[in-house]
Amino acid sequence: VWAETPGSVIWEVGKRSIVAFDAALMAVSAFQTLSKVRAMNIVKSARANEAPEFPSISELSGVRQKPTIVELNSVFSLQHMAYCMEQMILYWEKQPAGALFSTNPGPADPETLEAEGAEWQGNLFRALYRVVITGAVLSYAYNLPYLDQHSIATMGPEVPDSGDRAWGDYLRRFPVYNWDAEEGSERGRWRNAEYKKIFGPLAEWIVETARARGSRRG
């Protein structure tokens, strides 16, 4: 079975033995998809100053595409990060840096939190992985000015300093840096159209996830 369908085996075993496995897998797949999107769109986007449209996030789920060994190893790396974050939350007062946050009440009773068991841990891990997914989906649009070698080249041999007006004008070529464009203006309409491409998949996924969670709770 393993030799013929390793992805299905990984998927079935992973769901049973790895906390928030599908969310972790989606986070890994999101960054893999980001690399593909960048490779396919970097030239086109550099000339049009438009962020590429990210595919449906739901398609990243193991339900739609079964994981590979490489993805499984990446999931283990994310899981290690999540475990470290969990330990910091539960035992931050015992850490040397805990004194820096002495004004923050923090978790007063770690034993109580631990008693919540798998549900609490699963919710924490899913939340962390969703932050990673969000970063993957949005990072290209926000980093495009630094990847857009075509536009940078048109400004001269040197990229303007971040404090220069030329740098601000350069950023205006990208939709996410036009937050103050007037509604109804040509630039505002262009920005809003691009916002649908950039934030639309993420918004749809958040709504789908919330609805699915509500249905499970009845």
Side-chain angles (χ1 to χ4, degrees), residues 100-203:
L100 296 176
F101 306 97
S102 58
T103 57
N104 189 333
D109 186 3
E111 288 73 19
T112 299
L113 292 177
E114 287 184 303
E116 297 294 333
E119 182 178 2
W120 185 87
Q121 185 186 63
N123 289 337
L124 173 64
F125 281 26
R126 272 186 289 274
L128 292 173
Y129 297 149
R130 286 168 183 167
V131 170
V132 175
I133 293 170
T134 300
V137 173
L138 300 181
S139 64
Y140 189 91
Y142 281 93
N143 285 289
L144 188 57
Y146 307 97
L147 304 174
D148 183 359
Q149 298 301 317
H150 175 81
S151 289
I152 290 177
T154 64
M155 302 188 67
E158 296 183 0
V159 178
D161 294 332
S162 59
D164 292 350
R165 180 174 180 178
W167 178 253
D169 293 339
Y170 167 68
L171 290 179
R172 294 287 185 179
R173 304 179 185 184
F174 304 90
V176 294
Y177 295 100
N178 283 268
W179 58 84
D180 57 348
E182 294 184 7
E183 294 290 340
S185 66
E186 182 178 354
R187 180 168 292 275
R189 291 193 297 271
W190 166 74
R191 177 203 61 190
N192 292 342
E194 292 302 312
Y195 272 10
K196 291 181 180 179
K197 297 179 184 179
I198 298 168
F199 298 102
L202 181 63

Side-chain angles (χ1 to χ4, degrees), residues 48-64:
N49 299 325
E50 297 176 355
E53 190 170 355
F54 203 90
S56 171
I57 300 177
S58 298
E59 295 296 324
L60 304 177
S61 171
V63 175
R64 309 291 179 87

Side-chain angles (χ1 to χ4, degrees), residues 6-151:
S8 296
V9 174
I10 294 173
W11 173 244
E12 293 300 328
V13 175
K15 288 190 299 182
R16 294 179 174 85
S17 57
I18 299 177
V19 179
F21 178 60
D22 194 31
L25 182 61
M26 290 177 69
V28 169
S29 298
F31 273 99
Q32 290 180 338
T33 302
L34 174 64
S35 298
K36 295 176 183 177
V37 167
R38 178 185 174 186
M40 290 186 296
N41 292 277
I42 184 64
V43 176
K44 176 183 176 182
S45 298
R47 293 178 178 173
N49 299 325
E50 297 176 355
E53 190 170 355
F54 203 90
S56 171
I57 300 177
S58 298
E59 295 296 324
L60 304 177
S61 171
V63 175
R64 309 291 179 87
Q65 52 182 358
K66 298 301 181 281
T68 65
I69 291 292
V70 173
E71 290 172 336
L72 178 61
N73 286 333
S74 296
V75 165
F76 285 142
S77 296
L78 274 180
Q79 186 184 48
H80 177 74
M81 177 200 71
Y83 276 126
C84 290
M85 294 294 292
E86 179 186 33
Q87 292 301 305
M88 290 176 65
I89 292 171
L90 292 174
Y91 303 110
W92 67 272
E93 289 182 319
K94 299 179 181 180
Q95 304 301 322
L100 296 176
F101 306 97
S102 58
T103 57
N104 189 333
D109 186 3
E111 288 73 19
T112 299
L113 292 177
E114 287 184 303
E116 297 294 333
E119 182 178 2
W120 185 87
Q121 185 186 63
N123 289 337
L124 173 64
F125 281 26
R126 272 186 289 274
L128 292 173
Y129 297 149
R130 286 168 183 167
V131 170
V132 175
I133 293 170
T134 300
V137 173
L138 300 181
S139 64
Y140 189 91
Y142 281 93
N143 285 289
L144 188 57
Y146 307 97
L147 304 174
D148 183 359
Q149 298 301 317
H150 175 81
S151 289

